[in-house]
């Protein structure tokens, strides 16, 4: 009997597919690797996941969990075939409880839907990946996703207070719960958050929520140089302010936006800062005014301030178009998510210019200046068609990652390792760290059936 037939006996018939288009749709994410599974299973309950993993571990069949398929590192690519386990049909928001400030959700809920549902109850789930309309909360947990607001509020890990995880052998583990503080044993939640589907399949998540800040302000400032913009970032912190987000964009990114967004005004200059504040109305207004004065003293080329959701979003519209404008150049945008200690922000941008000179690829830098997490986008021509171009990109990335690590930075702050950064996993870790990863993987998944072929084999 073939695999599909066996799975149909285990689950409902329409929960299993080996139709060619379904296999193709579940072979990759937003990175460049793809590999077709033998079968796709759409789980509808924890007991489906449990039954499937009991079966797969007995037969030693690879199982790769998949959320929205909007990862940037090939994390959900079923590199060794077998079964893709899609969680998108487990998408219920089971509870939003104002008194406990907790949400209980299934992994397939889209992040934007969860954020909106929580907001409707005057609560706030801060992590805000740019992909939030298309990625799932389960995928966010598995990659420990971040976003602009993580400067003030922290990343996904800071909001997960309880998990239900089905282990490789089908055992259901529940850890944490609906309390905001908990020190019962090891931090197992921390172990599963960011584990990229290699230690277990997340089937339910309890999230800590915050009161919704009623007011917001945004400042947009353009500077002649990146050095001036980075100095402004340090000045804001030195004056004791912690903005919700603090975003920077470089010359190449702004030029691409100028060419692409003719109708939208891109402020003059070679570096752009966006500063967001939130909280109570009066304090937001007074903080925004104080930061406006600090920025004005730095002699920006342009400076604007907005209050209220709609006007703030107008200033953010430019930032939200950067990725599209870079794609409109016709080049392939290879998005990296390195993090450097904040003092190396300008060094990183200058280094990107040297990489351009050495390897010939234009490089666009923009992202989360406040926490040193910058999207360094290598803009490559013919990346998909020419193996020689791909080799050259890898050499440029060798240089970039070596320099970032030498500054005490990391090769990924948001997207994870997956397949895309497997080559640099040994450079980014010590032997001892890799050995602990191997031991943990072996303890939880002795047959290596969960998402095999990735950085811990
Ligand atoms: C345009 C764009 C913008 C982006 N912006 C951001 C950003 O601002 N911040 C950020 O952090 N990331 C960003 N990303 C990356 C990506 O969206 C995140 O990594 C996101 O968390 C992936 O979620 P997903 O549901 O699409 O997961 P998938 O791509 O389906 O899977 C990602 C990983 O999670 C595992 N997984 C998925 N669900 C489960 C589960 N239930 N149990 C166990 N493992 C599971 C998979 O096996 C895989 O390893 C962006 C990507 C794109 C394409």
């Amino acid at each position: 009997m073939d695999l599909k037939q066996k799975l149909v006996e285990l689950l409902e018939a329409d929960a299993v597919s080996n139709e060619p288009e379904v296999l193709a749709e579940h072979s990759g994410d937003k990175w460049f690797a793809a590999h077709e599974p033998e079968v796709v299973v759409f789980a509808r309950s924890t007991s489906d996941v449990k039954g499937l993993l009991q079966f797969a571990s007995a037969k030693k069949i690879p199982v790769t969990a998949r959320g929205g398929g909007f990862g940037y590192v090939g994390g959900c690519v079923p590199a060794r075939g077998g079964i893709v386990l899609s969680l998108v049909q487990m998408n219920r928001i089971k509870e939003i409880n104002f008194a406990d400030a907790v949400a209980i959700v299934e992994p397939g809920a889209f992040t934007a839907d969860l954020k909106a549902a929580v907001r409707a109850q005057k609560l706030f789930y801060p992590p805000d990946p740019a992909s939030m309309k298309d990625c799932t909360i389960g995928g966010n947990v598995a990659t420990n996703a971040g976003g602009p607001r993580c400067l003030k509020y922290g990343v996904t890990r800071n909001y997960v207070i309880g998990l239900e995880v089905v282990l490789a052998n089908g055992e259901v583990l529940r850890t944490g719960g609906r309390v905001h503080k908990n020190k019962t044993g090891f931090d197992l939640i921390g172990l599963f958050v960011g584990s990229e589907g290699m230690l277990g399949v997340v089937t339910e998540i309890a999230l800590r929520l915050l009161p919704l800040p009623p007011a917001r302000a945004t400042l947009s400032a353009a500077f002649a140089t990146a050095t001036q913009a980075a100095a402004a970032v340090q000045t804001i912190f030195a004056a004791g302010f912690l903005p919700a987000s603090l975003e920077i964009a470089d010359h190449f990114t702004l030029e691409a936006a100028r060419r692409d967004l003719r109708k939208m005004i891109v402020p003059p200059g070679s570096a752009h800062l966006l500063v967001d504040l939130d909280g109570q109305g009066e304090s937001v207004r007074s903080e925004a005014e104080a930061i406006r004065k600090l920025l004005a003293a730095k002699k920006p080329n342009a400076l604007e301030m907005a209050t209220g959701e709609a006007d703030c979003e107008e200033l953010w519209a430019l930032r939200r178009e950067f990725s599209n404008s870079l794609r409109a150049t016709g080049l392939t945008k290879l998005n990296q998510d390195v993090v450097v200690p904040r003092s190396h922000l300008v060094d990183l941008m200058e280094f990107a210019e040297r990489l351009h000179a050495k390897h010939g690829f234009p490089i666009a830098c923009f992202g989360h200046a406040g926490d040193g997490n910058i999207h360094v986008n290598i803009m490559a021509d013919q990346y998909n068609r020419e193996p020689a171009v791909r080799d050259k990109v890898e050499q440029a990335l060798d240089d970039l990652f070596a320099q970032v690590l030498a500054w005490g930075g990391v090769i990924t702050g948001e997207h994870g390792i997956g397949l895309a950064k497997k080559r640099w996993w040994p450079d980014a870790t010590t032997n001892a760290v890799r050995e602990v990863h191997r031991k943990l993987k072996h303890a939880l998944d002795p047959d290596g059936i969960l998402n095999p072929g990735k950085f811990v084999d």
Side-chain angles (χ1 to χ4, degrees), residues 270-314:
S270 288
H272 180 243
L273 277 188
L274 209 50
V275 187
D276 234 55
L277 299 157
D278 63 8
Q280 295 296 324
E282 208 171 306
S283 56
V284 166
R285 273 191 301 279
S286 79
E287 285 193 29
E289 183 50 31
I291 293 179
R292 194 192 65 73
K293 283 188 183 138
L294 288 178
L295 292 172
K298 298 270 170 202
K299 306 263 181 283
N301 292 355
L303 179 58
E304 275 186 87
M305 186 167 111
T307 52
E309 199 58 32
D311 290 349
C312 291
E313 276 306 307
E314 239 173 70

Side-chain angles (χ1 to χ4, degrees), residues 29-30 64-72 74-77 87 107 128-131 134-148 196-198 200-203 323 327 335 368 375 413-415 451 454:
D29 62 2
K30 297 296 161 191
T64 300
R66 180 185 174 97
F70 247 68
Y72 251 152
C76 65
V77 174
L87 281 309
D128 54 347
S131 50
D134 302 286
C135 67
T136 64
I137 194 73
N140 293 176
V141 169
T143 56
N144 195 11
E196 299 191 29
M198 287 187 282
V201 176
V202 174
T203 46
S323 283
R327 279 191 206 96
N335 183 346
H368 322 308
H375 295 294
E414 291 194 325
H415 302 157
N451 204 0
K454 303 293 158 50

Side-chain angles (χ1 to χ4, degrees), residues 52-79:
L52 175 75
L53 288 179
Q54 278 170 341
F55 168 82
S57 64
K59 307 277 180 205
K60 302 199 182 358
I61 299 168
V63 177
T64 300
R66 180 185 174 97
F70 247 68
Y72 251 152
V73 292
C76 65
V77 174

Side-chain angles (χ1 to χ4, degrees), residues 23-24 26-28 32-38 76-82 84 419:
L23 298 182
H26 292 79
S27 64
F32 301 92
H35 190 282
E36 284 198 2
E38 214 177 309
C76 65
V77 174
R80 302 269 156 83
V84 160
L419 287 173

